[in-house]
Amino acid sequence: MNKKFTLLAAALMTVGTFTAASAAVDSDEWTAGNYYYLVSDNNYLSLDGNKADSVVVKEITSFENVDKAARDSALWEITGITETAGTVYQFKNKKTNAVLSFAASQEAKPILVAGVDKWTFTDGGSLSASIGDNKTMTLALGSDNGLVFKDGSALSLTVTKPDTMTMTPQDLGDGFSTFQLTFGDQYEGNIFTGEDLIANSIGDKGFMTLQVKGDEAYPNGVKKFLGVDTLKTTINNQENVFGAGFALDSTRKVLRPNERCQHFKFVVNLQNDSLAMFVAGAPDVNGDLELVDDTVRVVYAQTGSTKVLTVSELNADAQPLQGKLPLIKVSKGTPVTIPTGTGVYFLQKVSEGANNGKYYVTKNTFMGGDSVPSVNLARGQWYIKENNGKYSVVDRQSDSEMILNQEVFAVQGKENTYLFGNDSVKISWQPVNLNDKYLGSLYFTEDELNANGYVLNLVSGTTGVSNIYAYTTDSILKGKAGDAKDAAIFKLVVDKVEKVGGAKSLLDTLYVTSYKLRAMFNKDMLAKQTDSLKLSAVGTAESFRFISDATAEKYAMLTSDSLYVGMNVNTSCVQLSEKAAYVNLEAVDAPEYASFASAHKRLAYNNNALVMNPLNFFAEMKDEGNPITKANYEADNFSLWVEQDTVIAGKQLYFISSGVANGGKAEANIRYYLAAKDTTRAGIDATTYAMFISHDSIKTMKDSPALFAFKTAEEGGYYLENQKELDKNGKPYVGVVNGFAVMQATPSAAFEVQTASAPTANEEMNVSEIKVISNDGQVIVTNASGRMITLSNILGQTIGVRRASSEYFSMPATSGIVLVTVEGDTTYKVIVK
């Protein structure tokens, strides 16, 4: 055979390289159904590969060796439309069928939208369109090499014809290697039409094997391939391979070898997507059926009224020696899909080797023996994620990949078995929640940590022995069989959260939270000593992770250096060791802080209750009937409004206020709030005594001194904990000294929170009763005509005395807290601004 034929054919079938030197195509040759490049100097007009509605210019050098999809994005069908003013043109993109259309404005962005879609254009000229008001849009290149319609350099575009290119399997299937071939006529011997074909590249010359999807192999596993066969159709004047037919057969390498007869190559005419189909070799059906080891082209022969699909060798011009060229088109096939879709799976090796049937841990490692993965542990779990028909398969322990964004193929005759790359893998879907980011470890929500305490149940290694609870003896942690009533109650404190696994390349990340264990009612933390664990306020608290076993029924309690928490059976001490041990955490209802709805409450302690002294506004502990000047404390004085505010660090904060002034009546507009101190007072130890204060911004100011939490006390009841004092390491707890509420560094007074009735409401009083208010530097007293009005400061010093001359009487007063005494009535407190 003349080898120059092969050289010519090879030259024809190389991937076309885009060059500016491509011959320009005159406008009278712009053919409907054909596609062309629009070239400007060293750039070409294209749609962006990442944003299909974005029009860009790209350098020609970036266009070399790209796939067909990228080339199609830069090809345009040109349609001329005759209008009164002349011919205008529309441009339709080959890849998306979108028309080149922009918003009708010189400020338009190069994004495809409805608007201007007809352009004045001459080959080698610019694209322009009139948009009214004597304005024109002209496609131009901006200073940043982006497309603009104003203040740019107009693009002079030349229409050029695209080269041919050799197709890859993914080019044939529009991103997949599964595709279909259609022929422009009916041909005898055409075994390609109507089948989903699977292509696999062979070497680097553009050749590939073809299989029929669903019929890839014989029952014994031997693969089948499409190819030219010794089957022959007699044709007049046939030569060499002309007349050879096609068959689906296995590969033979010895007797009548047919391997190269099963290697196909496709060269596409990018102008109209017609294909030239080649085969690497064919049997010489006119000789002794020896292999003609040279490239041949698929053609058809006319025999009477029948057209037969066959092949022919090529002449010196790389054209078929015999036969005619069929019109061949390619379209995307139907790729294999995994019916159960995205999710978590176990993967088993399917092969004849030693690892057959074993479960994958990574792509190249397996579980030992008969070990099976668990739905509760990341080891052996694989995340399979589908994306537009392609799949990524990544393990959830070490983030190793089996495949990334590739198509998969079913293994014929084996249920739920697929080819991932070169591996035959059986998959089984598992009911694993991908939203569980703490798989394989214990994790508690903030609400759980706030509401619950936890007891430690040590899992015994002895059959029949269970429920060994940890308790404390002189702060030493020990284990004892029985129930949980004597067990030590711990609060879990989050120490740190770490990334420990997940198919991270698929945005799947797994975490482990480490916790410190704190005593329920004090600040002692669980720490290690020589041979045991103990609660200690001194030293470094130990941090623990709780790692699940395969059943998720017990957990290894591990330190940061991977020591296990277990029990010494000889001493009963809970200790750390390298020997594997397991525990269970059991929740008990033990909120650290109370949470109840806003309501009137009575805060009782030691046979007294918290009350506001209405004369000096100190917080005191009194009982009903105790005297106030001119009156006694009544039930209304002890009814405090406990009002929910924000939740800080998992605890509900409250304002605690009184609206009852001297005389036991509720005031309409003034409330007095329990606070850690009253900065408006002088002459008292403001850091020691709790006060009731009234200020417009108490409930809105930053770091309000009037916010309290109710901290659970071990002996029952609640400690009143001031948030501002706690934040600054001050004196946050309300205690009782000599009948006064004082602020202390450590809690001492546990208050019982009792339900109380609301005090007498203002709207229940007679409107003729005396009222005292302040307004713009004045104290105003109503319904007190003829009575003596005395103004005093907070220390009881008189600052003014006058007799009311009307039912709406006012007196000037300095700013601050003013005590107003009405003759024959009571003393009122107002804040004057």
Side-chain angles (χ1 to χ4, degrees), residues 87-360:
T87 301
V88 292
Y89 294 90
Q90 280 189 326
F91 300 84
K92 184 170 70 174
N93 187 263
K94 182 181 179 186
K95 176 64 178 173
T96 67
N97 285 323
V99 173
L100 192 67
S101 175
F102 303 103
S105 169
Q106 290 180 336
E107 309 297 330
K109 303 296 183 184
I111 304 296
L112 297 181
V113 294
V116 175
D117 61 2
K118 296 177 183 177
W119 304 90
T120 301
F121 177 62
T122 56
D123 188 34
S126 59
L127 291 181
S128 298
S130 175
I131 56 174
D133 296 331
N134 296 319
K135 292 183 179 179
T136 299
M137 288 178 64
T138 300
L139 196 62
L141 196 63
S143 58
D144 60 352
N145 291 327
L147 290 175
V148 296
F149 298 98
K150 183 181 179 181
D151 299 330
S153 177
L155 285 173
S156 295
L157 297 169
T158 299
V159 178
T160 65
K161 184 173 66 172
D163 298 319
T164 60
M165 71 173 291
T166 300
M167 303 275 272
T168 66
Q170 287 69 37
D171 288 329
L172 289 166
D174 194 17
F176 295 85
S177 55
T178 303
F179 62 96
Q180 289 191 356
L181 294 175
T182 57
F183 291 74
D185 206 342
Q186 299 294 319
Y187 299 105
E188 188 177 287
N190 179 5
I191 62 174
F192 305 97
T193 294
E195 302 286 359
D196 273 324
L197 305 178
I198 301 172
N200 283 286
S201 293
I202 300 295
D204 59 356
K205 303 297 184 182
F207 285 100
M208 62 191 73
T209 59
L210 300 181
Q211 293 178 284
V212 176
K213 179 184 171 185
D215 191 16
E216 297 100 320
Y218 292 100
N220 61 1
V222 175
K223 293 182 178 180
K224 298 179 184 180
F225 297 98
L226 289 164
V228 184
D229 193 55
T230 54
L231 181 67
K232 166 184 172 181
T233 299
T234 301
I235 303 171
N236 291 335
N237 301 317
Q238 65 186 31
E239 299 178 19
N240 314 108
V241 299
F242 194 53
F246 297 92
L248 183 63
D249 200 358
S250 58
T251 299
R252 301 185 301 273
K253 296 186 178 181
V254 182
L255 180 64
R256 294 183 180 176
N258 66 345
E259 185 174 20
R260 287 184 58 79
C261 301
Q262 296 171 338
H263 295 173
F264 291 84
K265 178 184 287 190
F266 297 88
V267 177
V268 64
N269 179 347
L270 290 172
Q271 265 204 304
N272 55 26
D273 275 352
S274 62
L275 289 181
M277 187 174 176
F278 300 87
V279 190
D284 185 349
V285 294
N286 291 310
D288 296 326
L289 296 179
E290 73 275 10
L291 179 67
V292 176
D293 193 10
D294 206 350
T295 302
V296 298
R297 184 166 180 177
V298 174
V299 297
Y300 72 90
Q302 184 84 37
T303 58
S305 60
T306 302
K307 296 177 180 178
V308 179
L309 201 64
T310 182
V311 292
S312 171
E313 291 190 90
L314 307 176
N315 62 22
D317 296 322
Q319 297 300 311
L321 285 171
Q322 294 178 287
K324 298 179 181 179
L325 297 177
L327 176 64
I328 307 174
K329 294 276 189 177
V330 66
S331 61
K332 181 179 178 179
T334 305
V336 170
T337 59
I338 297 175
T340 41
T342 294
V344 176
Y345 293 79
F346 297 159
L347 308 185
Q348 282 180 283
K349 177 80 170 178
V350 177
S351 70
E352 299 299 326
N355 292 319
N356 180 46
K358 289 186 177 180
Y359 288 91
Y360 286 90

Side-chain angles (χ1 to χ4, degrees), residues 742-769:
V742 297
M743 302 308 300
Q744 299 176 330
T746 58
S748 63
F751 289 84
E752 181 183 353
V753 179
Q754 302 171 349
T755 300
S757 300
T760 305
N762 206 45
E763 57 270 17
E764 295 172 355
M765 300 177 188
N766 191 304
V767 294
S768 65
E769 290 185 347

Side-chain angles (χ1 to χ4, degrees), residues 354-372:
N355 292 319
N356 180 46
K358 289 186 177 180
Y359 288 91
Y360 286 90
V361 176
T362 70
K363 183 176 182 178
N364 299 310
T365 62
F366 303 87
M367 287 192 157
D370 297 327
S371 298
V372 177

